[in-house]
Amino acid sequence: MKHNQNIERDRELLLGLTRNDDRALATIYTENYPSILRMVLQYNGSEDDAKDLFQEAMIILYEKAQKGEFDLYSKLKTFLYAVCRHLWLKKLQTGNWQLALPDELEEVLPAEDANTIAEHEEKDQQFRVMEKTMSTMGEPCKTILEDYYIRKLSMQDIAGKFGYTNSENAKNQKYKCLMRLKKLFFEQYKS
Amino acid sequence: MNDFTLIRDIERYLEGEMSEQERTAFEALRQSNPAVNEQVLMHQQLIQQLDQYGQRVAFQEKMDKIHASLAIDEVLPPSRTAPPTKIFTISRRLITNMAAAACIALITSLSTIALMQNANRQKTTAQYEDVRRVLNNIQRSQNALINDINSKKKAPANPGTYGGTGFAISNNGYVVTNYHVIAGADSIYIQNTKGEAFKAASVFEDISSDLAILKITDSTFKGQPLPYTLKPQHALRGEAVFTLGYPRDEIVYGEGYISAQTGFNGDSAAYQVSIPVNPGNSGAPLMDSKGDVVGIVTGKQTTSDGIAFAVKSAHLKRLLEEMPKDKLPKKEWNHKNRLGGLTRVDQVKKLEDFVYMVKVYN
């Protein structure tokens, strides 16, 4: 009974995450990070290692939640643990992680979730490409695009911020930026 | 068409800023020109990537904010570096000192444990005495229900030591009352509402449920067919009940409800009833709304108001079945209810004739 209630609560939290509810995110983060941190530290990892590992697992959870088809069958904690284990393994294999895999990370990730990780890796790849492309963009393009696509500001606000006389001008600037981004991105993407 | 106008058109098309006319024109262009179509698809992909990138960056920023606000020190283990192991030699002297210290520690802890256990035992006996005292209280309260007729300085023509209530369970003079009413009696008299008294004798006693069955031995007694039955089912919590008894010389009516399915100390053969009960009510019938007997009032709790107890009619029924058949054949106490449709006043008027005062002399 208690177990079910826990799952119900976790499902609520997950729904909150889907709705971009900051409080749900904070709850999941603060409740689950300490145990991952403790485990990484136990295996002589650093705080940064733990943060990277956990945040990547959280991103996977978030992407899955965003897709809207994710139904939670185990506790969030179990899911996050399992994902962390897989990421840990991956990092070991690619050699950019020196920590031995702890036994306590049980192999509880179903095959479907293994797909999730493969999917995530592809997305991660694309993300890195976009990140690199964005970093090579000059100003004001970088800020305009970030304002529009990350901070979700309206073109009106962006026009005001950058001193354009109207949003039409700002839009023209955005088109130019997009043109440049498109060129750079597909160069990277295809290589 | 140069690159800039193309990308502007694609953006306006994808963001839904085009008018209907422009839209159809652009879609036609897409159809006819595969290069344009490819650009649109690529653009779509780019925007999607950008959106995902944006989402993730925003998410990462949120996480970093939460991370920064976490009190990391709390979750860190106190010390992460193992203390260097020191090697030191243990001298003989140290060993004797340590042994002495260990002995003292051992004795102290053992004596503490012994003391604690002793104290614990004393505590439990104290609790036990407490419980017994409560029990005694109840016993006293139950006894107190036996009306002390002498203390009321009644007319000497009607001498009696104790009094209670009883009611007929058969047409031929069998009456039920509480065992504690007639316990230790030399002689028992039954008196009806008209003031006629009949001699009776106890024929069956069940001390555990505090019930006694009396038989009227006077030849002058004439039985009447009973208008009620002993209800075989349990009454439900909240069911309205009423009672008729003799807390004084006159019959008194009281009403209340079943409050629990068990009696004092979880006795499953009794109900807890919320009904006004006074000394002298012992043995009074507890009736439901139809006028059937659901229980026999036996006592009340002195420590709190409004808590009375009644033996369940089902239990009485079981006792009657156990009784020797030649004394009280089943047909004598198995009747049909004839009070069902009546108003309470009429029910009580009929019932009065079957509820008696029980007088005990010793």
Side-chain angles (χ1 to χ4, degrees):
Chain A
M1 197 58 211
K2 201 182 168 220
H3 182 71
N4 279 341
Q5 275 170 2
N6 280 343
I7 284 212
E8 275 313 304
R9 181 172 174 273
D10 283 358
R11 284 199 174 134
E12 288 286 308
L13 284 174
L14 203 63
L15 274 180
L17 196 65
T18 320
R19 286 193 306 265
N20 280 320
D21 175 4
D22 289 0
R23 248 188 329 192
L25 172 64
T27 310
I28 300 175
Y29 200 101
T30 46
E31 278 181 6
N32 294 290
Y33 177 63
S35 53
I36 301 287
L37 171 66
R38 222 169 290 132
M39 185 174 64
V40 172
L41 290 178
Q42 220 168 39
Y43 287 83
N44 291 321
S46 71
E47 244 177 79
D48 283 340
D49 292 336
K51 187 181 160 192
D52 286 350
L53 190 70
F54 181 69
Q55 290 201 348
E56 198 165 349
M58 282 297 287
I59 288 169
I60 291 178
L61 181 71
Y62 178 65
E63 282 169 353
K64 229 168 147 44
Q66 287 292 319
K67 266 166 70 185
E69 59 200 32
F70 181 38
D71 199 6
L72 200 63
Y73 291 111
S74 57
K75 286 171 67 180
L76 264 185
K77 198 180 206 75
T78 319
F79 178 83
L80 285 170
Y81 249 79
V83 171
C84 281
R85 179 198 147 88
H86 267 250
L87 294 174
W88 197 312
L89 261 178
K90 272 275 148 51
K91 283 173 192 277
L92 267 183
Q93 284 162 3
T94 49
N96 50 16
W97 187 272
Q98 298 300 326
L99 306 181
L101 188 76
D103 302 327
E104 61 199 88
L105 274 186
E106 290 164 51
E107 180 90 58
V108 277
L109 204 61
E112 189 217 337
D113 286 344
N115 289 338
T116 310
I117 295 209
E119 229 170 82
H120 164 73
E121 276 182 353
E122 197 190 316
K123 274 193 179 164
D124 199 46
Q125 196 67 36
Q126 291 165 353
F127 175 79
R128 301 278 163 227
V129 172
M130 187 56 86
E131 197 180 31
K132 208 171 157 199
T133 319
M134 282 296 265
S135 68
T136 55
M137 295 282 289
E139 292 297 348
C141 275
K142 188 165 182 275
T143 316
I144 288 178
L145 291 178
E146 278 178 358
D147 278 349
Y148 189 76
Y149 290 101
I150 298 173
R151 289 179 269 280
K152 307 283 183 203
L153 297 182
S154 70
M155 285 318 286
Q156 200 73 46
D157 292 339
I158 294 175
K161 192 175 160 192
F162 286 85
Y164 293 110
T165 46
N166 55 43
S167 63
E168 225 32 62
N169 285 346
K171 271 186 194 167
N172 282 339
Q173 182 61 47
K174 190 186 104 185
Y175 299 148
K176 281 182 197 157
C177 294
L178 274 177
M179 214 158 75
R180 190 167 157 68
L181 180 77
K182 195 171 169 182
K183 187 164 158 268
L184 287 171
F185 178 76
F186 283 103
E187 266 171 23
Q188 292 270 354
Y189 195 65
K190 282 178 181 135
S191 65
Chain B
M1 186 187 277
N2 64 25
D3 280 358
F4 178 76
T5 49
L6 176 64
I7 207 154
R8 190 186 63 198
D9 286 348
I10 294 173
E11 265 285 289
R12 291 184 62 220
Y13 172 69
L14 290 178
E15 297 247 318
E17 288 171 4
M18 281 187 163
S19 69
E20 195 59 47
Q21 227 173 357
E22 286 176 298
R23 202 181 166 79
T24 16
F26 190 77
E27 272 165 5
L29 180 68
R30 259 185 91 176
Q31 295 269 322
S32 59
N33 191 340
V36 170
N37 192 38
E38 196 198 352
Q39 284 299 314
V40 173
L41 291 179
M42 271 170 79
H43 197 88
Q44 253 175 334
Q45 196 190 351
L46 179 77
I47 298 300
Q48 198 198 343
Q49 294 283 333
L50 250 180
D51 264 334
Q52 273 173 11
Y53 171 80
Q55 249 180 24
R56 184 156 155 191
V57 170
F59 188 68
Q60 189 95 45
E61 272 171 9
K62 273 195 230 164
M63 279 202 297
D64 282 341
K65 225 195 267 163
I66 295 167
H67 193 91
S69 68
L70 276 184
I72 293 300
D73 298 338
E74 283 173 25
V75 293
L76 281 181
S79 76
R80 287 171 53 198
T81 48
T85 47
K86 277 189 204 151
I87 301 163
F88 50 94
T89 49
I90 300 166
S91 67
R92 223 187 167 71
R93 210 193 141 112
L94 191 61
I95 289 178
T96 31
N97 279 347
M98 271 163 63
C103 282
I104 292 167
L106 190 69
I107 289 165
T108 323
S109 48
L110 281 180
S111 50
T112 315
I113 290 168
L115 276 174
M116 296 274 282
Q117 276 184 343
N118 212 11
N120 252 347
R121 206 173 302 132
Q122 277 171 358
K123 214 191 271 170
T124 42
T125 36
Q127 273 167 0
Y128 180 69
E129 275 176 358
D130 261 350
V131 171
R132 199 163 53 187
R133 193 158 53 234
V134 174
L135 266 176
N136 284 344
N137 274 342
I138 294 297
Q139 204 71 44
R140 228 176 287 138
S141 82
Q142 291 217 345
N143 288 343
L145 277 179
I146 304 173
N147 197 348
D148 191 333
I149 291 170
N150 261 359
S151 73
K152 286 195 171 173
K153 299 265 181 278
K154 295 246 319 200
N158 192 13
T161 316
Y162 294 114
T165 307
F167 62 96
I169 48 162
S170 78
N171 306 341
N172 58 355
Y174 281 92
V175 172
V176 166
T177 187
N178 278 143
Y179 169 73
H180 73 253
V181 173
I182 55 121
D186 275 345
S187 55
I188 305 165
Y189 283 87
I190 300 286
Q191 183 181 312
N192 63 15
T193 42
K194 294 172 198 122
E196 301 164 329
F198 307 98
K199 190 160 173 44
S202 166
V203 292
F204 192 81
E205 287 161 7
D206 183 52
I207 301 171
S208 69
S209 60
D210 196 11
L211 288 181
I213 293 165
L214 313 177
K215 169 91 171 85
I216 298 176
T217 49
D218 252 330
S219 51
T220 51
F221 176 79
K222 267 217 240 85
Q224 287 171 277
L226 294 191
Y228 51 82
T229 64
L230 300 177
K231 200 177 178 187
Q233 304 94 347
H234 287 194
L236 302 174
R237 251 185 306 278
E239 201 170 323
V241 289
F242 67 95
T243 185
L244 287 168
Y246 288 90
R248 35 193 289 229
D249 274 348
E250 203 185 323
I251 192 161
V252 172
Y253 169 84
E255 63 180 23
Y257 48 87
I258 304 282
S259 20
Q261 295 280 10
T262 58
F264 180 67
N265 262 355
D267 178 7
S268 62
Y271 296 115
Q272 182 189 320
V273 193
S274 179
I275 203 163
V277 155
N278 291 300
N281 268 116
S282 278
L286 197 67
M287 316 280 201
D288 68 2
S289 53
K290 274 174 63 194
D292 279 335
V293 176
V294 296
I296 301 99
V297 175
T298 54
K300 65 173 179 180
Q301 193 161 322
T302 42
T303 47
S304 37
D305 275 342
I307 295 182
F309 299 108
V311 177
K312 294 178 181 172
S313 58
H315 189 78
L316 172 61
K317 222 165 168 173
R318 230 176 358 258
L319 281 187
L320 292 180
E321 271 157 12
E322 278 172 20
M323 267 181 73
K325 291 284 179 292
D326 54 320
K327 275 191 185 162
L328 182 55
K330 188 163 182 170
K331 65 173 170 52
E332 288 291 344
W333 52 267
N334 227 358
H335 307 279
K336 273 226 162 67
N337 181 300
R338 285 186 278 112
L339 297 168
L342 301 181
T343 64
R344 185 55 52 86
V345 177
D346 290 332
Q347 284 179 339
V348 170
K349 214 178 270 174
K350 285 240 162 82
L351 279 168
E352 275 176 357
D353 294 341
F354 301 92
V355 179
Y356 310 108
M357 187 193 292
V358 178
K359 289 182 180 172
V360 175
Y361 301 83
N362 55 4

